[in-house]
Amino acid sequence: MHCTRLVENTEGIYRSIQLNSSELLDNFLKGDKRALARIITHVDNRSNMGTEIMNKLYGKAGNSHIIGFTGPPGAGKSTLVSAVIREFRKRGNTIAVIAVDPTSPYSRGALLGDRVRMLEFTDDPRVFIRSMASRGKVGGLSSSTYDTMTVLDVFGFDIIIIETVGAGQAEIDIVQTCDTTVVLAVPGLGDDIQILKAGIMEIADIFAVNKSDKVGAKELSILIKNMLISNDSKWQVPVCLTSAINNTGIEEFVNTLNDHWEYIKKKKNILHDNRLQNEIINRYTNSIKKIIISSSILNNCSKLIRSGEITFTDALNLITKQLQS
Ligand SMILES: Nc1nc2c(ncn2[C@@H]2O[C@H](COP(=O)(O)OP(=O)(O)OP(=O)(O)O)[C@@H](O)[C@H]2O)c(=O)[nH]1
Ligand SMILES: [Mg+2]
């Protein structure tokens, strides 16, 4: 017991002082970054104190510009995010980053690389970086990631960036959660395949063709532009060329992020709407699956379809009716 506590004491002396939730919350609301880190740990561990604090914070969020960065592994997401942090800091904005690892459930801590890359910001009190595992929820963002976003929002960060490897569901979750979704593409990966991957064109508010110092970047940006279906919306998805390591195109890219924020701000979906929707859908999906699996209706209907007694549509209607009753 004692040992466990010691292991958890990653924030030093501060952690050994036992604060109750309202003291912790007071410090947090005064802008204490250690209190922020501690609250996130509580939220991540799903502790009672975490839940207690979250219930007080839910109503206060909604001011930060939440930006999602997604794209294939190694596209330069973390490097680009670092360059973006530098640019936003130059402009006086405060910024928090959550690096989500959606890949494997057993690789907690695998994002050490990202942490190391972003070490240059550890002394800046206006930058906060946290790595989180997506932990279980198939490919998507975990509940504690949503909660962490809320915590960071209430703390008052102007910008919150979520970095996630493009892995299907995580991308979709990002769109539902972020105000601005940036999709990274890089030359040399077999262009069309990476872009055409399930619905990626639809989710991007902004494309960043990173590694623009490499051969084929310009061609790739033209290809993407041509693939973008122009719609009636006032926002036409821009394709930015960036070279994160050479710091080129970053100013323009950050201007584009701000342009989208100006465009979307008025109709910003408060995080909770999306999260409530996601969680309710998950809950219902799970309970519906349980009902279907535990009943014989699926099996019976399949038999009836096979024997020609009912059609597929009849079966669908029958099952839906049963679920609603
Ligand atoms: N040539 C070139 N290399 C870059 C650029 N941006 C990043 N890289 C390199 O690409 C490699 C991967 O960069 P990361 O920032 O770790 O990429 P990532 O997308 O965050 O990777 P994961 O988080 O592992 O998916 C590193 O070696 C970077 O130095 C760029 O603009 N040009
Ligand atoms: Mg990364």
Side-chain angles (χ1 to χ4, degrees), residues 6-215:
L6 275 180
V7 170
E8 282 175 4
N9 276 351
T10 49
E11 283 134 39
I13 302 164
Y14 191 79
R15 284 194 145 220
S16 61
I17 305 166
Q18 294 300 312
L19 296 178
N20 65 35
S21 69
S22 53
E23 286 166 331
L24 192 57
L25 198 59
D26 276 353
N27 290 353
F28 167 85
L29 293 171
K30 279 181 204 147
D32 182 347
K33 250 174 101 177
R34 289 167 307 171
L36 165 67
R38 202 167 172 200
I39 286 180
I40 292 177
T41 304
H42 273 294
V43 165
D44 206 15
N45 292 341
R46 299 246 153 266
S47 76
N48 290 339
M49 200 192 269
T51 312
E52 206 179 304
I53 290 175
M54 277 321 296
N55 284 332
K56 291 184 181 148
L57 296 186
Y58 282 131
K60 294 183 171 34
N63 297 311
S64 308
H65 179 195
I66 301 175
I67 309 172
F69 278 69
T70 190
K77 296 178 292 295
S78 303
T79 317
L80 184 59
V81 168
S82 300
V84 164
I85 297 176
R86 266 179 242 120
E87 184 58 30
F88 271 122
R89 290 297 299 121
K90 236 196 264 171
R91 300 180 187 200
N93 295 119
T94 58
I95 185 159
V97 177
I98 308 174
V100 183
D101 164 24
T103 45
S104 66
Y106 45 82
S107 66
R108 286 192 69 191
L111 282 153
L112 200 62
D114 282 335
R115 296 287 282 273
V116 171
R117 213 161 287 134
M118 293 185 187
L119 267 183
E120 64 171 285
F121 304 110
T122 44
D123 289 335
D124 186 340
R126 289 164 184 276
V127 176
F128 182 89
I129 296 164
R130 179 90 176 200
S131 300
M132 298 190 97
S134 65
R135 227 180 285 163
K137 194 178 163 239
V138 200
L141 293 183
S142 68
S143 301
S144 56
T145 311
Y146 289 115
D147 282 344
T148 303
M149 287 155 83
T150 303
V151 173
L152 294 167
D153 190 324
V154 179
F155 192 77
F157 285 103
D158 299 323
I159 321 283
I160 301 172
I161 289 182
I162 318 290
E163 178 197 330
T164 176
V165 174
Q169 188 55 43
E171 287 157 351
I172 310 295
D173 279 1
I174 276 218
V175 191
Q176 288 171 341
T177 310
C178 295
D179 304 307
T180 304
T181 300
V182 177
V183 174
L184 266 80
V186 282
L189 278 192
D191 331 320
D192 0 34
I193 300 157
Q194 54 172 331
I195 304 157
L196 281 172
K197 227 188 67 194
I200 201 91
M201 298 305 284
E202 289 83 49
I203 69 161
D205 296 307
I206 298 168
F207 265 101
V209 174
N210 193 40
K211 307 199 182 182
S212 64
D213 49 288
K214 289 197 164 183
V215 184

Side-chain angles (χ1 to χ4, degrees), residues 244-259:
I245 46 163
N246 296 333
N247 209 43
T248 46
I250 306 301
E251 260 185 62
E252 296 80 355
F253 177 57
V254 169
N255 289 342
T256 310
L257 291 173
N258 284 338
D259 288 347

